[in-house]
Amino acid sequence: MKRWLKMTAGAAAITLATAGCAGSGSGDSTNSSAPASNGTLTVWLMTGTAPESLTNSLHKEFEDAHPGVKIKYEIQQWNGIQQKLTTSLASDNPPDVIELGNTQTPAFANQNVLADLTSSVGDFNGAQWLQGLKASGEYDGKTYGVPFYAANREVIYRKDMFEQAGITATPKTRAEWLDAITKLKAKFGSDPEFQALYQPGQNWYELLSFIWDEGGDIAQANGKSFKATLDSPQAKAGLEFYKQLTDASGTKAPKDADEATPQQAGIYGAGKVAMMIGVPGEADTAAKTDPTIKEKSSAFPIPGKSADKSAPVFLGGSNLVIPANSKNAAAAKDYVKLFSTPKYQTELAKAGYVPGTSTDVSALDANPLTKVMAEASKNGRAVPTSPKWGDVESGQNPIKDMLTAYLTGTKSLDQATADANAALDKLIGG
């Protein structure tokens, strides 16, 4: 839960060293019939990921089934992990199982430092994979990452404010959403600090939902590279609705910053905001400002154009990978296989995550916020699986620039999308 906000903001910068990357990355390098070459299986998972109770049980079960093999479990910090991964994966003795952010996986696959798991998908409960994460683990027609877990955005709202404004049902369409905003402003708008929806100008993951809902995308695959499509009619329509929603919302959020600057959860927790678009864990953060906010809050999926389906959502999350140079590839494969079973996927769901290799999300039903997240995740998607995508998120993000330029009127719709398209093409187009 602590990691959701950071994780859904995307992976860290991906600037991989091109020299010294060993391993072919071709063929399935994990032969389950081969014995472990030594008695240690090194596993790297990220901080805030799997609960200790889960890993303790998993590791005992694994070691009991693999006499002579001991797990060396190391929890990694997100800060500085990119360089540590780059160095370790290029070495002759990397860890055997690693958690990678879903936007990191294509970059490392491109460097030929990950084992090709394509022929082993069935061993990892492949029929149950969460589709949005499945795509993030694929590169150049092959599978390198096994979905681990995900989280996604939803509309978190104040039940008491909705009730007082006479809103009897949560919005299922964009039109109903705008109507709810009108009712909220009519009820509470006399307070100059009130915001029906806290709407930062650069919440580009939210924008993705509207673009995808229009049938568009930000880029399309073009062989191993990608062609930006931010200037398509569908992308423009998504951007137009973002502006319509922002203008209607009464938000006081900056137009040149995202939801983390300032942290929107603290603003929601201060009591003058009826809605925010975020992940369930942000309600916990908001409770640090107001301990009663969680019991006052619930959630609904980001509404779509029509009531039959909510808008697609960006899935932030992680994959499990096996380095191409793993010395214990067979044991590593067995470890990932065990983690992919319903038993441990259910434990992930109990911890509040959308499981990556199981469609059973019933363990998330107890909390209304995680229940809605799980429902919305079925219509989840990933950003383009470009090995250069990290440059988009770590640098001068052209999608954020586009949003600010259009919302402030600095550029017209056509100019803002054309400029952003050209800038995105330079980053991932070749």
Side-chain angles (χ1 to χ4, degrees):
M1 308 249 311
K2 294 179 181 177
R3 183 183 162 235
W4 272 339
L5 188 59
K6 181 180 290 184
M7 176 259 294
T8 54
I14 300 178
T15 307
L16 299 179
T18 57
C21 293
S24 67
S26 61
D28 189 339
S29 63
T30 56
N31 179 2
S32 60
S33 64
S37 60
N38 62 54
T40 301
L41 184 79
T42 302
V43 177
W44 281 10
L45 299 184
M46 302 306 298
T47 183
T49 296
E52 185 177 0
S53 58
L54 186 159
T55 53
N56 286 345
S57 176
L58 175 77
H59 294 168
K60 182 180 186 305
E61 182 173 347
F62 180 88
E63 289 179 350
D64 287 348
H66 296 77
V69 179
K70 293 296 181 182
I71 292 175
K72 182 181 180 183
Y73 178 45
E74 299 181 354
I75 299 175
Q76 303 297 318
Q77 304 298 315
W78 285 101
N79 186 30
I81 190 61
Q82 189 63 38
Q83 185 56 49
K84 189 171 185 179
L85 286 169
T86 300
T87 301
S88 297
L89 285 167
S91 74
D92 290 331
N93 190 31
D96 302 293
V97 178
I98 298 176
E99 175 189 345
L100 289 183
N102 60 336
T103 61
Q104 292 174 309
T105 308
F108 285 111
N110 182 58
Q111 295 299 315
N112 295 324
V113 294
L114 303 182
D116 175 5
L117 304 175
T118 307
S119 64
S120 300
V121 168
D123 295 335
F124 306 131
N125 207 24
Q128 297 283 306
W129 284 12
L130 185 62
Q131 290 302 304
L133 276 187
K134 177 179 181 292
S136 74
E138 297 173 339
Y139 179 69
D140 195 24
K142 299 176 182 178
T143 297
Y144 295 92
V146 176
F148 189 10
Y149 67 91
N152 46 270
R153 286 165 174 77
E154 60 192 5
V155 184
I156 300 172
Y157 74 98
R158 287 278 299 268
K159 294 182 292 184
D160 53 339
M161 287 185 171
F162 268 49
E163 182 178 353
Q164 292 173 52
I167 303 168
T168 57
T170 54
K172 294 186 180 299
T173 67
R174 293 181 184 178
E176 291 175 357
W177 197 8
L178 292 170
D179 182 61
I181 287 174
T182 298
K183 291 178 179 177
L184 287 163
K185 290 166 70 176
K187 177 64 178 178
F188 301 104
S190 59
D191 185 340
E193 297 181 15
F194 176 73
Q195 302 177 66
L197 169 68
Y198 185 77
Q199 177 77 338
Q202 294 186 344
N203 193 344
W204 69 281
Y205 287 117
E206 175 192 339
L207 173 66
L208 290 180
S209 288
F210 305 142
I211 292 176
W212 289 333
D213 196 39
E214 292 285 351
D217 208 336
I218 52 177
Q220 291 288 338
N222 182 23
K224 289 187 178 182
S225 63
F226 284 80
K227 174 63 179 173
T229 54
L230 287 169
D231 60 349
S232 70
Q234 295 86 354
K236 288 180 180 179
L239 182 56
E240 284 183 299
F241 179 73
Y242 190 103
K243 186 176 188 302
Q244 181 183 6
L245 184 67
T246 303
D247 291 345
S249 68
T251 187
K252 302 181 188 307
K255 291 182 170 62
D256 59 352
D258 61 22
E259 67 276 17
T261 312
Q263 289 287 354
Q264 67 175 5
I267 296 171
Y268 177 75
K272 300 287 189 176
V273 174
M275 291 181 282
M276 69 173 175
I277 297 171
V279 294
E282 289 183 80
D284 295 309
T285 304
K288 295 177 182 178
T289 303
D290 175 8
T292 70
I293 199 74
K294 286 186 68 176
E295 64 187 45
K296 297 175 183 175
S297 298
S298 191
F300 56 89
I302 296 175
K305 293 179 68 176
S306 59
D308 60 324
K309 183 183 293 186
S310 59
V313 290
F314 166 72
L315 286 179
S318 290
N319 297 312
L320 294 177
V321 301
I322 299 174
N325 284 346
S326 167
K327 304 300 183 185
N328 282 323
K333 182 178 177 180
D334 286 348
Y335 181 92
V336 176
K337 181 178 180 180
L338 183 60
F339 222 143
S340 301
T341 60
K343 175 181 179 179
Y344 292 106
Q345 292 296 295
T346 297
E347 289 302 307
L348 278 175
K350 288 179 180 178
Y353 300 104
V354 179
T357 63
S358 173
T359 57
D360 180 6
V361 293
S362 57
L364 291 163
D365 288 351
N367 182 331
L369 274 69
T370 57
K371 180 179 180 179
V372 168
M373 177 183 69
E375 291 171 354
S377 72
K378 298 174 184 178
N379 194 19
R381 298 179 62 174
V383 294
T385 53
S386 166
K388 299 180 180 179
W389 188 258
D391 295 339
V392 176
E393 297 198 26
S394 64
Q396 191 70 27
N397 187 327
I399 308 173
K400 286 186 172 184
D401 292 344
M402 175 185 71
L403 279 163
T404 296
Y406 183 50
L407 292 176
T408 59
T410 305
K411 295 180 182 179
S412 67
L413 176 66
D414 289 344
Q415 190 62 56
T417 53
D419 290 349
N421 207 64
L424 189 60
D425 260 340
K426 289 181 180 179
L427 292 172
I428 66 172

